[in-house]
Structures are given as structure tokens and as C-alpha cells.
Amino acid sequence: MHILHLDSGPSMRGGQWQTVRLAEGLARAGHTVTLLARQNSPCLERAREMRLDAAPLSAPAVRRHSRRADLVHAHDARSHTIAALLSAAPLVVSRRVAFPIGGGLSRLKYARPRHFIAVSEYVRSVLAGAGVGPERVSVVYDGVPLLTPSSPGEGVLAPASSDPQKGAALSLQAAGLAGLPIHFAADLERELPGAGLFLYLTYSEGLGSGVLLAMSAGVPVVASRVGGLPEIVAHEETGLLVENSAGEIAGAMLRLARDRELALRLAANARRAVEERFTVGAMVEATTQVYRRVLQC
């Protein structure tokens, strides 16, 4: 298959990592892959470092490349809009976010794709609420690399984000109540080794690939009981889920800091869950099956 991927993200967030990992996996499996990403974006630079066929995203480029592709896969809202207007090939759209879909023109845009890939069952329910039929939606969970298991440290690590929905202020408040130092990481894959605990607080979440990275690295997780997060974190088995209350969060953090046996058990279970369900290979294979169903080949 020849797949054209589109991503307009200006930064390297979870969705962009999934885009380049999927593109690389498809190329390794023998498919022809082209990625169009925002000019000068980290996603475009990373794709080129991985020696993928990658170029700046533009309307003329979408028109030209989609004529040669079997299928176009849009990975974010803006590229979905561009592809809905310009793609000459069947369109698949990844839906990663948990917020509701608007009416009017948004509904028209969502009528265009042949199929949607929802990042969780929760996101599938959001699409259903907007009138997208179940036959047009498949759930494919994120995949992450298997990182070297971490040697437990003392500090709390949280993802850096300026998005108010991602709970940075709540993380600071909870860490202050617990009396634990907290560091906000821009590069999770590099900074997870040695972390004592990974804190992922959010008010809206499609899935949470940062949590999967922490689970892969064997770092115990405390995460909000929001959106798709309960689909990857089993409370008291692979991590601790909390309501967005500073007191409850601080209590969970202190519990793991004081009970290292519990923290290590949760981390080991989480690592096994990633190995069994959330690898890049599993994500690539499940996405390929969606493509084949769409193209009926």
C-alpha cells in the first residue's frame, strides 16, 4: 500500500510521536509511506532524521501526493480539514482528543472520511455522540517503544504543557501538599529513567501516550480518572487513578513514595501491560488492518 500521512502539529506532542512511529513501522513492513508535516516543525525534522519520505504540508502537496496514494491518513484536526477538501484518495482520520464535536461545518467535515481511528473506547463514544456510525470507527490504542526499565529515584516527573486542560497547576499544588519535589519534562523518553513517580493530571484526555511511556519505563503512575486513561491504567494493578482533587492526588503520591514494594509491583505490572498490548508493533499491525478493510484488500 501507498499511504500519505498528514500532520499539522507545530510541536512534538504525543500525536506527532504516534504519527512518525506509525510511518516508520509501515515503511519497515514494506509499505510506501509519505509524510507531509508543518514546515520547520519537529515532526517534519524527526521524520527526516528517520529517513522517511517527508515534505512540508501544503494544499498543492496534498493534491499532488494524494493522486498517487492508495489512502490518506490525517492525524489532527487541521490536516483532517485540508484532506477533506483536497484529498483525491480515500481518507482515514485519527481522532485523539476527548472533547465533543461541534455542529454545522464540523459535522460536514466528519461526514467526509471513509473511516475513523479512535485512540480509545472513550473517543469512540465521542464520535458516536456526534452521529458517526460504528461501522466507520475502529479503536487502535497508541504504541510506545519498550524503554530500558528505570532504576527508581526519588523525584516526581510530570509532562510539561502550557495547555490549561493538562493540569500543571494542579500537579504543583498536589506535589506541594505531599512535600515532594516535582519536575516538568519536555522530553519524557529522555527524562523518565530515574524518576520515582510519574504524575499525569488532566481534565480532558483521549488516551495518554505519556502514561504508556512511563509504564514502559517501569515508573509507577498516578493519573487522573478521566477520558481514556482508565483503559490503560488499571487502578491498584498497573497504577493509581485519582479524582482531580489536590488532597486525593497528594495522598496517592505519598502512598507510593512510602510503600516502595507497592510502587515496584505496580510498575512491573504496567511494564508487562505495555509489552502485551501497547507496543509500536501492535499499533502498526492494528492500523494496517484498518487500512485493508477500508481498501478491501
Side-chain angles (χ1 to χ4, degrees), residues 66-72 83 86-92 112 114:
S66 67
R67 293 191 188 103
R68 299 196 295 267
D70 295 310
L71 184 146
V72 173
L86 302 173
S87 174
L91 175 60
V92 169
R112 171 70 170 82
R114 186 80 61 87

Side-chain angles (χ1 to χ4, degrees), residues 2-6 23 31-36 52-55 65 68-69 73:
H2 183 175
I3 311 300
L4 173 62
H5 295 273
L6 309 178
H31 301 288
T32 301
V33 174
T34 303
L35 171 62
L36 301 181
L52 296 170
D53 178 16
H65 286 283
R68 299 196 295 267
H73 187 164

Side-chain angles (χ1 to χ4, degrees), residues 156-176:
V156 177
L157 192 70
S161 176
S162 59
D163 184 349
Q165 289 293 307
K166 294 304 179 184
L170 183 58
S171 296
L172 281 170
Q173 183 183 4

Side-chain angles (χ1 to χ4, degrees), residues 41 103 105 124 132 145 152 156-157 160 166:
S41 67
L105 292 177
R124 187 208 292 266
V132 179
V156 177
L157 192 70
K166 294 304 179 184

Side-chain angles (χ1 to χ4, degrees), residues 74 80 92-102 106-107 109-140 206:
H80 174 184
V92 169
V93 171
S94 281
R95 172 82 178 180
R96 304 187 57 80
V97 294
F99 52 78
I101 297 166
S106 290
R107 295 298 177 101
K109 184 176 82 169
Y110 275 78
R112 171 70 170 82
R114 186 80 61 87
H115 205 81
F116 289 90
I117 294 177
V119 76
S120 64
E121 292 292 343
Y122 184 85
V123 172
R124 187 208 292 266
S125 73
V126 172
L127 288 165
V132 179
E135 74 283 355
R136 294 177 60 215
V137 184
S138 299
V139 173
V140 175

Side-chain angles (χ1 to χ4, degrees), residues 72-91:
V72 173
H73 187 164
H75 291 269
D76 67 309
R78 185 168 179 268
S79 63
H80 174 184
T81 301
I82 294 170
L85 293 171
L86 302 173
S87 174
L91 175 60

